[in-house]
Amino acid sequence: MKKKFFVALLATMALSSMAVSCTDNSSSSSSTPVIDSVVPPEKEPDVNSLQIKYNNRKITGSLEVNLSLGTLELTVDVDKDEGFTGTVTLDSSDKSVATIDNAGKVTLLSAGETVISATIKDLKETFVLIVNTQAPTLEEHTITVVGGTSSVTTAKAGEYVTLTPNIPMHKKFIDWTFDSEEEIWRNGNVFKMPDYDIVVTGQYDDMKYTLNVVGAKVKDTATGEIIDDKDGEYQDITTYEFTYDTPISVEAVEAPEGMIFVGFDYGVKNNRVGELGVTEYGPFNMPDSTLTVWAVFSEFNPTLVPAVGNPYRNEGSKSITAGTPENEANDPELEGLSGIRMSIPANEAAIYDMPENINTVCDLDTVANGTTLVKTIFKNHHETLPITVEFYATYYGNITTTGEVTIQPGETVTKYFLAGLGINLPWMGLAVREDIGGSSGDYVLLDMVAGTAAYYPEGDKSLSVSGRPEYVTVDNWSMKNGWVTSRPCIINNSVGLTAFGARNQDFNGTTGGVKHNAYVTAKINNLPAYDAENPKTTVYAKIVNNVNQYAVQDSNFQIAISKTDDPFSDSSAIFESFKLTELAQTELFAFEVDRSGTNDAYYISIIKPEAEPQDDLYAFNFCLQMTYNNVMGYEEN
């Protein structure tokens, strides 16, 4: 009615204005009728909708509850315009059944029915509240869980359900989501069942695992680009995170001055991986645990090959010092290493034995320094002839070699190889391995320079221990009963290590004239103080076989501890037998020595109990490490 009246009023005002204009027309032909503008009144704020809810669900028609509940909490949702100030009035038609306050709290008083109403302005919403003395029968609803399980597969409204995630391998659980437009009550993995079927989905994300990299950078395996270049130095640690099975490559940083990169350690120290001399490793796949990869650097000695005494001191041969040949400018391709330029006849035929033909003045020592990385550079100065050679060093059955290396005309080739334990000032040689095929009177000028570095700068892998070792040290070794050597045994007491190269006396194919039980022996010189209450001392021993010349040894030995330097004359001597068949084979022993007697001197011996045919051809080469505590991994059988 107000709207109709308002329109009629506007029409009347318009007609009245027009009448006035006509009356004034005779006095002014150019005047324009003026109509006053009309501003409609602003719309009054109003209420658009009203809903009564219980447990966040709209109540439609009726709500059946049990008297034992005592109270209910109702909420009223009002959609109203901004500025509307009216309030909702709540009421119960039968206050003997239930009452309701303006906050929506319903107090149940008796069984029966009452109409609960909510009124605001001219809107009113009602429902019938049915109060029973018996609990209403609730419907079972289905629970579907994706990515997990539930404690029950069906439940009634208001029941509590526990969810358990099924976490896939290498994933982590994030949260649960519900296919409901309404908010579901939940606490962690427990939720309250709504009054309808529900689907619950577990949300998961990829686990990420930590990669620690020391002295290296990580590369993108797809592009080859460095990831997050942090300008690290050789001792710096950088940390990355990757999902399981991600392909990864690492690249060592530039070696510090005076050092050389010797390899990568994967997971634990001295677990060496990668190719010798190659500063990149990978791709490898990220494991499902924290991983550390170290780039290992070692002090570099740029001089190994002596400059005198080799058979190829022909026309054009010369010494090379720090990358500079005699009377020439420095050659960058020799990388500052020292060695010799050999003048090899171009018609030289292949040599198939291994003549030790350079000289014996070589400071290679893998007893004091452990396994050693050797870097050798060859440079062929001939314009047309390739050359194939092999550079090597030998010491009592232990050999280290470049293998056959072919250098094309004008080419420079770098070769890395390892010298294992048990080498000390070895004989050195270089052999031509293929006929050169040149003419008489011509020479192949071949530069050969080499340097060395400890391959395990923190201690040789074969001699690694756990914990703090209490090393056993010995005096120098003595050869006994036919075991002979032309060079002394080596002692390095800083790591409880002794090593020796030796051979049994000549074997002529029969037992006649050959002594059995040839041995080497040394006195233990740091026995612990005698304790009368605990007179037994345990000595742990590790033997590492270093022999690798021509063929693997297959020999029987004994190790013994005795009170004299002749274990066979001591009735209390302790003997253990062992057989060596493979290079780098390791044997562990434990000797429990009863020191309750008066003699407090003890000797350790390595024995060859019986001469064998190979004794005439092959030498024996051992490393022996001893401790008073079990840090080498010895286990009782």
Side-chain angles (χ1 to χ4, degrees), residues 183-331:
E183 185 176 350
I184 302 294
W185 182 95
R186 57 171 294 202
N187 182 11
N189 289 329
V190 177
F191 75 95
K192 185 184 288 186
M193 187 68 186
D195 194 16
Y196 47 85
D197 295 346
I198 192 76
V199 176
V200 188
T201 303
Q203 302 296 317
Y204 301 92
D205 199 0
D206 289 332
M207 286 283 291
K208 289 192 174 181
Y209 302 95
T210 300
L211 171 67
N212 298 311
V213 178
V214 182
K217 301 174 182 179
V218 175
K219 299 183 71 173
D220 186 321
T221 55
T223 65
E225 299 294 324
I226 297 293
I227 299 174
D228 190 20
D229 188 346
K230 300 177 181 179
D231 296 325
E233 297 183 358
Y234 82 105
Q235 291 180 324
D236 288 346
I237 301 173
T238 52
T239 299
Y240 305 83
E241 285 192 337
F242 294 101
T243 57
Y244 171 74
D245 226 21
T246 298
I248 299 167
S249 291
V250 292
E251 182 178 286
V253 300
E254 184 177 352
E257 185 176 356
M259 303 185 79
I260 187 174
F261 169 77
V262 295
F264 289 100
D265 283 347
Y266 182 97
V268 295
K269 285 291 188 178
N270 287 348
N271 182 29
R272 198 57 49 82
V273 295
E275 186 177 344
L276 283 179
V278 178
T279 58
E280 183 174 335
Y281 173 63
F284 59 91
N285 292 336
M286 185 68 197
D288 54 357
S289 59
T290 297
L291 172 65
T292 301
V293 177
W294 294 266
V296 183
F297 300 86
S298 187
E299 291 187 11
F300 187 60
N301 172 15
T303 302
L304 174 65
V305 180
V308 296
N310 74 83
Y312 297 127
R313 299 289 288 180
N314 302 309
E315 180 181 352
S317 66
K318 56 181 62 180
S319 299
I320 301 173
T321 303
T324 303
E326 290 179 84
N327 303 317
E328 294 183 13
N330 181 269
D331 186 347

Side-chain angles (χ1 to χ4, degrees), residues 503-564:
R503 65 191 304 174
N504 207 335
Q505 69 179 32
D506 289 347
F507 182 82
N508 60 11
T510 68
T511 58
V514 176
K515 295 180 180 180
H516 293 199
N517 290 330
Y519 66 100
V520 293
T521 187
K523 182 181 178 181
I524 297 174
N525 60 22
N526 69 332
L527 281 168
Y530 176 70
D531 182 358
E533 295 184 0
N534 185 18
K536 293 184 178 180
T537 297
T538 301
V539 174
Y540 297 90
K542 176 193 287 185
I543 286 180
V544 180
N545 183 27
N546 302 321
V547 169
N548 61 356
Q549 182 173 346
Y550 299 113
V552 172
Q553 289 280 7
D554 186 0
S555 296
N556 296 293
F557 296 90
Q558 289 178 318
I559 182 172
I561 287 186
S562 59
K563 295 180 179 180
T564 72

Side-chain angles (χ1 to χ4, degrees), residues 19 42 125 137 213 323 333 394 541:
E42 295 182 2
E125 186 77 13
T137 301
V213 178
E333 292 186 338
T394 65

Side-chain angles (χ1 to χ4, degrees), residues 142-217:
T142 300
I143 304 165
T144 302
V145 184
V146 179
T149 59
S150 57
S151 55
V152 292
T153 56
T154 61
K156 298 174 183 178
E159 292 182 341
Y160 294 96
V161 181
T162 300
L163 299 168
T164 301
N166 288 341
I167 304 176
M169 288 286 289
H170 315 301
K171 299 281 187 179
K172 60 181 177 181
F173 174 72
I174 303 298
D175 203 357
W176 299 104
T177 58
F178 298 81
D179 70 331
S180 172
E181 296 180 356
E182 301 171 355
E183 185 176 350
I184 302 294
W185 182 95
R186 57 171 294 202
N187 182 11
N189 289 329
V190 177
F191 75 95
K192 185 184 288 186
M193 187 68 186
D195 194 16
Y196 47 85
D197 295 346
I198 192 76
V199 176
V200 188
T201 303
Q203 302 296 317
Y204 301 92
D205 199 0
D206 289 332
M207 286 283 291
K208 289 192 174 181
Y209 302 95
T210 300
L211 171 67
N212 298 311
V213 178
V214 182
K217 301 174 182 179

Side-chain angles (χ1 to χ4, degrees), residues 570-602:
D570 179 9
S571 61
S572 65
I574 306 171
F575 291 83
E576 291 282 354
S577 298
F578 60 98
K579 187 179 183 71
L580 295 178
T581 60
E582 298 178 3
L583 173 65
Q585 178 182 339
T586 299
E587 298 292 334
L588 298 175
F589 305 93
F591 297 91
E592 190 176 70
V593 181
D594 188 348
R595 300 171 58 197
S596 55
T598 57
N599 189 341
D600 204 25
Y602 284 87

